[in-house]
Structure formats: C-alpha cells, structure tokens
C-alpha cells in the first residue's frame, strides 16, 4: 500500500515528467510554426498556446505536491527563488529557474499587444533557456532515472527537441542564403517570381 508521502511523490514526479514532455511538445510546435513547417499555421500556433496554458496548470500540481510531501523540505520560497531549497539545492533550483523563465514568457505573451512584437519576441527566447533548466531538473530531482521508462521519457524529450531545433536552424540558414545581399550587407527580399 502506498503511504501519503509516497503518493505525493508519485504525483509530483509523474506530473513533472508529463510536464517535461508537454514543454517539449510546446517547444516543437513553436519551432515548427516559426520555421513554417506547420499547415495551417494558425492551428499549430493555437495548439502551442493552449498546451502552454495547460502546462501552467500541471505545473501548479507538480509544485504543490512537491511542497506538501513531508519526506522532503523544499519550502514555498524555493518555488520562486532559485537555489534556495535545502533539499537537492541544484536540482530544485534548476526547476525554479525553469519556472521563473517560463513565467516571464507567459506574462509577456499575455501582455503581447501592450509590449509590442519586438519586446515579446526578445523575452520569448527565454523559453530556450527554460527547457534546459527543466531538463536538468528532471535528470537530477528524482532518484528513478534507472527505470527504463523514466530515462526514455527524459532522454526522448531531449532527442526530439534537439532534432527539431537543428532542423529549424537548418531551415533558417537555407532561407537566409536565398535572400540576396546588397552592398553594405543589407539583405533585401527577392523579387516576385523567384531568385535573381
């Protein structure tokens, strides 16, 4: 029979692993939308936003169950201030860092119309820092990485995102090569009808 503490740990760890997969899917959808692979683009962008909001709700469950677990002492302040937790300081700190960076992305997305596209996009790049922090948290926060399915979930998420990011980078490099450059280094769009 599972004790209350074990039950909280299972919910916290399980929700954390699902959260990593969800964050990976959100990142893949974002890269796909930006690269122009997704059709129709607005559907992928809407799915990206919806899953990101669902991740916020799941994050709440993950954090609350970790805090309520009497086996570990994390403390509420450690959910907002990185590297403050007395329990597994680095692991919990990486998770908190991911939360803080993700919160900045979420808040600027909500305020996008007031901030402008340039500011929103600059802050949105923080997602590329939030994911590695979340990945590091997933690797180090639990003691179950020897379980095959846990390792497959964590490393599979990393492989999927790495492949998507590299493909997206390749697409951007190819697109930049297609745009002619004038004297002075300024890129200009190709005329209608194709390349010069």
């Amino acid at each position: 029979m599972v004790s209350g503490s074990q039950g909280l740990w299972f919910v916290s760890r399980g929700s954390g692993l699902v959260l990593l997969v969800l964050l990976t899917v959100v990142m893949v959808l974002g890269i796909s939308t930006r690269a122009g692979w997704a059709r129709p683009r607005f559907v992928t962008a809407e799915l990206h936003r919806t899953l990101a909001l669902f991740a916020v709700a799941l994050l709440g469950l993950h954090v609350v169950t970790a805090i309520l677990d009497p086996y570990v002492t994390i403390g509420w302040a450690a959910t907002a201030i990185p590297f403050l937790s007395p329990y597994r300081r680095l692991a919990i700190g990486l998770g908190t860092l991911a939360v803080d960076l993700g919160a900045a992305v979420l808040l600027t997305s909500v305020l996008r119309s007031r901030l402008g596209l340039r500011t929103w996009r600059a802050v949105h790049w923080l997602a590329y820092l939030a994911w590695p922090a979340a990945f590091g948290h997933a690797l180090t926060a639990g003691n179950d990485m020897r379980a095959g399915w846990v390792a497959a979930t964590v490393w599979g998420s990393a492989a999927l995102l790495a492949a998507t990011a590299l493909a997206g980078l390749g697409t951007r490099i190819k697109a930049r090569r297609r745009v002619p450059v004038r004297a002075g280094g300024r890129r200009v769009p190709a005329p209608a009808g194709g390349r010069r």
Side-chain angles (χ1 to χ4, degrees), residues 74-172:
I74 295 173
W76 287 103
T79 64
I81 303 169
F83 310 108
L84 192 63
S85 172
Y87 174 78
R88 295 195 180 186
R89 186 177 308 270
L90 177 62
I92 303 303
L94 287 171
T96 303
L97 183 61
V99 169
D100 291 349
L101 293 169
V105 172
L106 176 68
L107 288 174
T108 54
S109 293
V110 170
L111 299 171
R112 181 177 175 175
S113 61
R114 292 183 179 185
L115 295 173
L117 182 61
R118 183 171 287 186
T119 302
W120 168 80
R121 186 170 283 153
V123 176
H124 215 74
W125 281 96
L126 291 176
Y128 288 99
L129 297 176
W131 192 92
F135 176 73
H137 173 72
L139 278 178
T140 58
N143 55 3
D144 55 355
M145 282 299 291
R146 290 184 182 155
W149 70 272
V150 174
T153 300
V154 173
W155 289 107
S157 295
L160 175 61
L161 184 57
T164 305
L166 287 173
L169 183 61
T171 298
R172 291 196 66 163

Side-chain angles (χ1 to χ4, degrees), residues 33-86:
T33 301
R34 178 95 169 118
W37 302 329
R39 297 286 185 247
R41 190 174 179 165
F42 74 90
V43 172
T44 307
E46 189 58 38
L47 184 58
H48 170 79
R49 282 188 292 271
T50 301
L51 290 178
L53 289 174
F54 178 67
V56 172
L58 190 59
L59 177 64
L61 174 68
H62 177 65
V63 169
V64 168
T65 53
I67 294 294
L68 294 178
D69 187 349
Y71 181 76
V72 298
T73 304
I74 295 173
W76 287 103
T79 64
I81 303 169
F83 310 108
L84 192 63
S85 172

